Amino acid sequence: MRVAIGAIVRTLGGPATYAVEIVRALAARRTPGVEYVVLTDGPEAFDGIDVVTEHVPLRSPWAQPVWDHVHVPRVLRRIAADLYHGTKNAVPIAGACPSLVTIHDLAVYHHPESFALAQRWHLRAHTSHAVRAARAILTVSEHSAADLRARFPRAAAKVEAIPNGVSARFRPVTDQAALAAFRTRHGLGDGPLIVYLGTLQPRKNVELLAAAFGRVAAQLPGAELVLAGRIRPGYRPNLPRERVRLIGPLAAAELPLFYSTAAVLVNASLYEGFGLTLVEAMACGCPVIALRRSAVPEVTGDAALLLDEPTEEALARALVAVVGAPATAASYRAFGLLRATEFSWARAARAVEAAYLRAIP
């Protein structure tokens, strides 16, 4: 069986991480009779992984409909694929073979303001098509699975939740020289770092986080708020300049350093399909503060400080409770390290491969 996997990886985010890690774990299984071919805009992301790659250029994220529905089917026909796995919410309209899709979340329905108009149109149109056309619909949490079944009841039987994993490279970094070099490289001070990692967009609530930090900055001497990640095109967050740093996207190799340097990771997002940064942070021994919403409790369990309401007051109190209390931070650090061991890409790949085999009897 030749399985083609669509992997858009040069647009940073959870779906890109998912595509690379699930391919790595599938290749490691070396299942007899199953061949994997990766259709990707970034073949370099799969260097060192025992899979065949087909370079399918993507000139910009706005061109994804052409990538999904024109370029991918051509390659599928040429390589005679038996099954196609679209890892980012879409499968071709004119399918050259049976398909399976991973739909990470339905944020575009719940928080349309987080997406540019063109993104909104693309995601809604192509998600609904994928739900109809795919033989199986994979998603990354029970919350997202319930969301999909509620919005697309006719496809409910096709939905399966397979939680994401966390790569072994996410572990506490204890090399003080490397940590200090990371701070210097990004112009950060020596004080506690309150961090956020992810796309900056309205539903992620980074402005609320900045306002909460401003309330308690005087109680946290030397602390800085560090926001890492790309800014969604068209979005301009209103952020104070004092003790707030925007450092942009980080290279994959820097992420363990980022988490290990941080005093706490804060994710005040109103909606998450999974929340990869939460489990990555926990695996690096970084305490986590987040909202008790969507899939977040599934990921963190009791290993993070979860807030019931997204308010400045609640976030401010939480920052002081963790950053200002070393014993509390140490407890969350220990709980998080233990919780992160429950997430495995190998386990996820085993379930994904089983879905492939069911899709092609």
Side-chain angles (χ1 to χ4, degrees), residues 68-190:
D68 284 320
H69 306 299
V70 178
H71 300 319
V72 164
R74 287 175 182 167
V75 178
L76 293 176
R77 285 189 287 270
R78 176 166 57 78
I79 68 174
D82 296 301
L83 181 70
Y84 175 68
H85 179 186
T87 62
K88 195 176 180 182
N89 294 31
V91 297
I93 291 173
C97 63
S99 63
L100 176 150
V101 69
T102 296
I103 297 175
H104 297 267
D105 60 53
L106 294 181
V108 70
Y109 293 96
H110 295 281
H111 294 280
E113 73 284 355
S114 281
F115 301 87
L117 186 60
Q119 288 178 307
R120 237 176 285 172
W121 175 84
H122 169 247
L123 282 169
R124 288 191 176 191
H126 295 93
T127 296
S128 60
H129 165 260
V131 165
R132 293 192 303 272
R135 291 194 175 183
I137 303 163
L138 307 183
T139 191
V140 294
S141 66
E142 291 296 344
H143 176 272
S144 286
D147 218 357
L148 280 159
R149 293 181 185 116
R151 187 163 292 273
F152 303 105
R154 292 184 180 181
K158 297 194 290 182
V159 177
E160 180 181 0
I162 300 174
N164 289 329
V166 61
S167 170
R169 66 191 176 89
F170 290 104
R171 57 185 182 273
V173 177
T174 57
D175 184 336
Q176 295 304 309
L179 296 173
F182 175 84
R183 286 180 181 259
T184 300
R185 196 158 53 245
H186 293 283
L188 305 174
D190 296 329

Side-chain angles (χ1 to χ4, degrees), residues 192 194 213-214 216-226 240-246:
I194 296 163
F213 173 68
V216 295
Q219 300 176 51
L220 303 172
E224 295 176 276
L225 175 60
V226 183
R241 293 185 179 182
E242 187 177 357
R243 294 169 63 179
V244 177
R245 307 282 183 265
L246 282 87

Side-chain angles (χ1 to χ4, degrees), residues 4-349:
I5 301 173
I8 295 174
V9 298
R10 288 183 179 168
T11 301
L12 298 179
T17 300
Y18 171 88
V20 173
E21 295 297 344
I22 209 72
V23 166
R24 189 191 314 277
L26 286 167
R29 290 181 58 76
R30 300 183 182 276
T31 302
V34 182
E35 177 189 9
Y36 292 111
V37 182
V38 182
L39 283 53
T40 180
D41 63 328
E44 69 283 352
F46 301 92
D47 288 348
I49 303 176
D50 187 20
V51 291
V52 175
T53 59
E54 291 278 349
H55 185 201
V56 185
L58 177 63
R59 293 185 177 181
S60 86
W62 304 106
Q64 188 181 335
V66 177
W67 195 90
D68 284 320
H69 306 299
V70 178
H71 300 319
V72 164
R74 287 175 182 167
V75 178
L76 293 176
R77 285 189 287 270
R78 176 166 57 78
I79 68 174
D82 296 301
L83 181 70
Y84 175 68
H85 179 186
T87 62
K88 195 176 180 182
N89 294 31
V91 297
I93 291 173
C97 63
S99 63
L100 176 150
V101 69
T102 296
I103 297 175
H104 297 267
D105 60 53
L106 294 181
V108 70
Y109 293 96
H110 295 281
H111 294 280
E113 73 284 355
S114 281
F115 301 87
L117 186 60
Q119 288 178 307
R120 237 176 285 172
W121 175 84
H122 169 247
L123 282 169
R124 288 191 176 191
H126 295 93
T127 296
S128 60
H129 165 260
V131 165
R132 293 192 303 272
R135 291 194 175 183
I137 303 163
L138 307 183
T139 191
V140 294
S141 66
E142 291 296 344
H143 176 272
S144 286
D147 218 357
L148 280 159
R149 293 181 185 116
R151 187 163 292 273
F152 303 105
R154 292 184 180 181
K158 297 194 290 182
V159 177
E160 180 181 0
I162 300 174
N164 289 329
V166 61
S167 170
R169 66 191 176 89
F170 290 104
R171 57 185 182 273
V173 177
T174 57
D175 184 336
Q176 295 304 309
L179 296 173
F182 175 84
R183 286 180 181 259
T184 300
R185 196 158 53 245
H186 293 283
L188 305 174
D190 296 329
L193 303 182
I194 296 163
V195 306
Y196 163 85
L197 175 64
T199 302
L200 276 67
Q201 53 181 297
R203 71 182 165 94
K204 299 295 187 174
N205 260 339
V206 292
E207 292 173 88
L208 180 71
L209 172 57
F213 173 68
R215 279 178 173 248
V216 295
Q219 300 176 51
L220 303 172
E224 295 176 276
L225 175 60
V226 183
L227 308 176
R230 66 186 180 94
I231 300 176
R232 193 213 75 188
Y235 175 55
R236 293 292 178 267
N238 182 21
L239 299 169
R241 293 185 179 182
E242 187 177 357
R243 294 169 63 179
V244 177
R245 307 282 183 265
L246 282 87
I247 63 174
L250 293 172
E254 286 203 300
L255 294 180
L257 291 165
F258 176 74
Y259 292 126
S260 297
T261 306
V264 65
L265 174 98
V266 185
N267 184 332
S269 175
L270 296 171
Y271 181 98
E272 291 288 343
F274 182 83
L276 268 170
T277 61
L278 304 175
V279 70
E280 290 171 356
M282 290 190 295
C284 290
C286 176
V288 169
I289 296 170
L291 298 185
R292 196 186 306 277
R293 292 194 173 197
S294 54
V296 170
E298 286 181 56
V299 176
T300 65
D302 296 326
L305 177 53
L306 300 185
L307 309 179
D308 293 317
E309 295 298 332
T311 65
E312 283 185 34
E313 295 83 0
L315 270 173
R317 285 195 301 269
L319 291 175
V320 173
V322 175
V323 182
T328 301
S331 294
Y332 280 117
R333 187 173 295 114
F335 294 149
L337 284 166
L338 184 61
R339 178 69 176 178
T341 63
E342 299 181 24
F343 296 92
S344 161
W345 284 116
R347 189 181 304 126

